[in-house]
Amino acid sequence: MNTKIFGRELKKRGFDFYVGVPCSFLKNLINYAINESEYIGAANEGDAVAIASGALLGGKKPIVLMQNSGLANAVSPLVSLNYPFRIPVLGFVSWRGQPGEQDEPQHELMGRITTNLLDSMQVKWMYLSADFKKAKRQISLAAKYIESGHPFFFVVKKGSFEPEILQEQERYFSVNQENIGQRADNQLPTRQEALRVINECKDGQTAQLATTGKTGRQLYEIEDACNNLYMVGSMGCIASFGLGLSVSKPDFDIVVIDGDGSLLMRMGSMATIGYYNPQNMIHILLDNNAHDSTGGQKTVSHNVNFINIASSCGYVKSIYIHDLNELNKCLNEWKLTKGLTFLHLKISPGTEDQLSRPAIKPYEVKERLATFLNRNVSESRGARS
């Protein structure tokens, strides 16, 4: 079918924010997205789902594009982020390795199990018709599923889209302006102490996103607030989620609180974040060199220079933090100056034995935060007028 007409039909229904990882079967739809809509190229498919999820919370109607081999990479966020938080994304997944069609050997097994995998994840799906009239009705059905809070994926066969020529893309560079490495001894505060400092710096235009495990649980104990999100599952996805929320809510300060195990798991997200460079996002790494939530097993963070990595990825500022006073100072300065910023603070391992879990359900946390974001935008606009 005509790719441009199909894409514009999606746009009529509000789907004009794309996140994807390339596939030859989807290249024409991806080209359309780049040419005529907002498009973020993710490092991997799981990151793409997380970015789209953050964007949806910020009011976008996102579309995720991926090859079915990458569907395996996206399993974690689809089952442990989108499912418990009830975040419905619209997806297009190619059907490489379709039984009966000649393809590369690496696609054979995934081709056989693609639809079974979607069924197992309780993701509604449909083979996309190459006939536009039928596809238009399918879009209408998919939109109803999305509106009811359920994700929906189209499985796309080879040759479904007519050629769409990719327009010349402007290439630009995000340049680091401040790189400050370690220059003193570490205070090694507890995670709870660091979280208290971070929490005290928030205001009515701040959303705080806490990574999987004890970080979210401790933030909940410090203060359960409507502008907090406590990530569960989907380890490593908090920074990508923050990117999606940042670009969809530029009037808000997005504070992403990460851990070393989490960041190491999906460190490619830093390259994507650095390139798209949201000025309203600060990415804070609380690094205890351990998987604290699972028994204290060591990570390899002691062997990684996160400051240089963030700097080389294009974060505007990349700063090593030695103590809580520096953390407080940097957070307050950032609220005035903005710019994509990475802070690295070494903390002590271990935590209190009796640590509660949020009593509020993940989807209630999501809905509460969405209400906060929308209400505050309305109020701030009213105040300015």
Side-chain angles (χ1 to χ4, degrees):
M1 76 184 105
N2 184 288
T3 307
K4 200 181 278 6
I5 292 175
F6 180 79
R8 289 174 180 171
E9 184 63 28
L10 287 169
K11 187 175 288 190
K12 285 180 186 176
R13 297 179 178 273
F15 296 100
D16 60 355
F17 182 90
Y18 293 78
V19 191
V21 180
C23 174
S24 59
F25 284 18
L26 295 174
K27 66 180 180 182
N28 295 306
L29 184 57
I30 292 173
N31 290 350
Y32 165 82
I34 295 171
N35 291 343
E36 300 201 19
S37 293
E38 190 172 1
Y39 178 83
I40 289 180
N44 60 66
E45 294 79 6
D47 286 352
V49 171
I51 294 167
S53 299
L56 186 141
L57 189 63
K60 299 283 188 182
K61 295 181 72 172
I63 294 173
V64 181
L65 306 171
M66 68 179 74
Q67 187 177 104
N68 57 344
S69 61
L71 186 60
N73 190 290
V75 166
S76 175
L78 283 172
V79 301
S80 61
L81 169 61
N82 298 82
Y83 180 81
F85 282 97
R86 297 184 185 174
I87 298 176
V89 295
L90 178 60
F92 288 78
V93 57
S94 65
W95 199 10
R96 297 299 303 265
Q98 178 182 344
E101 298 290 328
Q102 186 174 358
D103 208 330
E104 300 296 328
Q106 68 269 24
H107 299 300
E108 181 182 349
L109 179 56
M110 182 55 81
R112 292 203 304 265
I113 68 172
T114 294
T115 57
N116 292 334
L117 186 56
L118 290 169
D119 286 335
S120 296
M121 293 190 291
Q122 299 184 28
V123 174
K124 302 292 184 182
W125 64 272
M126 185 179 291
Y127 294 117
L128 180 66
S129 174
D131 178 88
F132 176 69
K133 289 184 178 180
K134 293 180 180 178
K136 186 176 179 180
R137 291 194 293 269
Q138 290 179 319
I139 292 173
S140 179
L141 178 63
K144 290 179 180 178
Y145 273 106
I146 297 294
E147 289 167 6
S148 66
H150 300 285
F152 192 97
F153 269 57
F154 285 111
V155 178
V156 182
K157 301 176 184 178
K158 184 178 182 180
S160 295
F161 293 105
E162 292 180 358
E164 172 75 12
I165 304 302
L166 181 64
Q167 298 172 7
E168 185 175 352
Q169 296 177 261
E170 182 179 354
R171 189 175 71 159
Y172 61 92
F173 294 90
S174 298
V175 180
N176 174 259
Q177 298 175 10
E178 189 172 347
N179 180 318
I180 302 177
Q182 184 177 2
R183 59 203 181 282
D185 293 335
N186 294 308
Q187 183 187 47
L188 295 178
T190 66
R191 186 191 298 105
Q192 187 175 53
E193 289 171 332
L195 288 171
R196 286 189 183 279
V197 171
I198 296 168
N199 189 62
E200 287 169 1
C201 290
K202 76 176 188 298
D203 58 27
Q205 291 295 113
T206 304
Q208 296 185 139
L209 314 178
T211 191
T212 310
K214 293 189 175 180
T215 303
R217 292 165 63 185
Q218 285 185 310
L219 181 61
Y220 171 79
E221 284 201 339
I222 290 168
E223 182 185 12
D224 178 32
C226 62
N227 54 344
N228 289 348
L229 183 133
Y230 318 112
M231 184 66 83
V232 297
S234 54
M235 186 169 168
C237 288
I238 193 68
S240 292
F241 188 95
L243 171 61
L245 186 56
S246 295
V247 299
S248 59
K249 286 294 183 187
D251 292 336
F252 284 82
D253 294 340
I254 309 302
V255 178
V256 175
I257 309 168
D258 217 335
D260 48 299
S262 171
L263 185 55
L264 287 167
M265 184 171 284
R266 291 188 180 270
M267 200 154 58
S269 65
M270 296 179 73
T272 307
I273 293 165
Y275 180 77
Y276 290 97
N277 218 259
Q279 298 301 293
N280 59 327
M281 175 173 162
I282 186 166
H283 188 180
I284 306 169
L285 172 61
L286 303 182
D287 177 7
N288 65 358
N289 191 211
H291 292 289
D292 225 8
S293 298
T294 58
Q297 302 88 355
K298 294 295 184 185
T299 70
V300 299
S301 66
H302 65 284
N303 199 44
V304 179
N305 190 322
F306 290 103
I307 295 300
N308 285 348
I309 291 172
S311 176
S312 65
C313 286
Y315 283 66
V316 176
K317 296 179 181 179
S318 183
I319 304 171
Y320 194 98
I321 303 298
H322 304 83
D323 55 49
L324 296 177
N325 287 332
E326 282 187 18
L327 178 62
N328 181 68
K329 179 182 177 182
C330 283
L331 284 168
N332 284 299
E333 286 181 354
W334 176 79
K335 292 184 73 66
L336 297 174
T337 61
K338 299 297 192 293
L340 176 63
T341 297
F342 182 83
L343 303 182
H344 182 191
L345 173 66
K346 289 274 191 178
I347 61 172
S348 60
T351 187
E352 59 269 29
D353 293 330
Q354 300 299 320
L355 182 60
S356 63
R357 297 181 183 274
I360 183 170
K361 295 185 182 344
Y363 70 87
E364 294 172 331
V365 171
K366 180 255 315 189
E367 291 168 357
R368 187 177 67 175
L369 179 55
T371 300
F372 165 83
L373 294 167
N374 292 325
R375 184 189 66 241
N376 276 267
V377 166
S378 301
E379 289 176 357
S380 62
R381 284 176 178 167
R384 284 196 295 268
S385 62

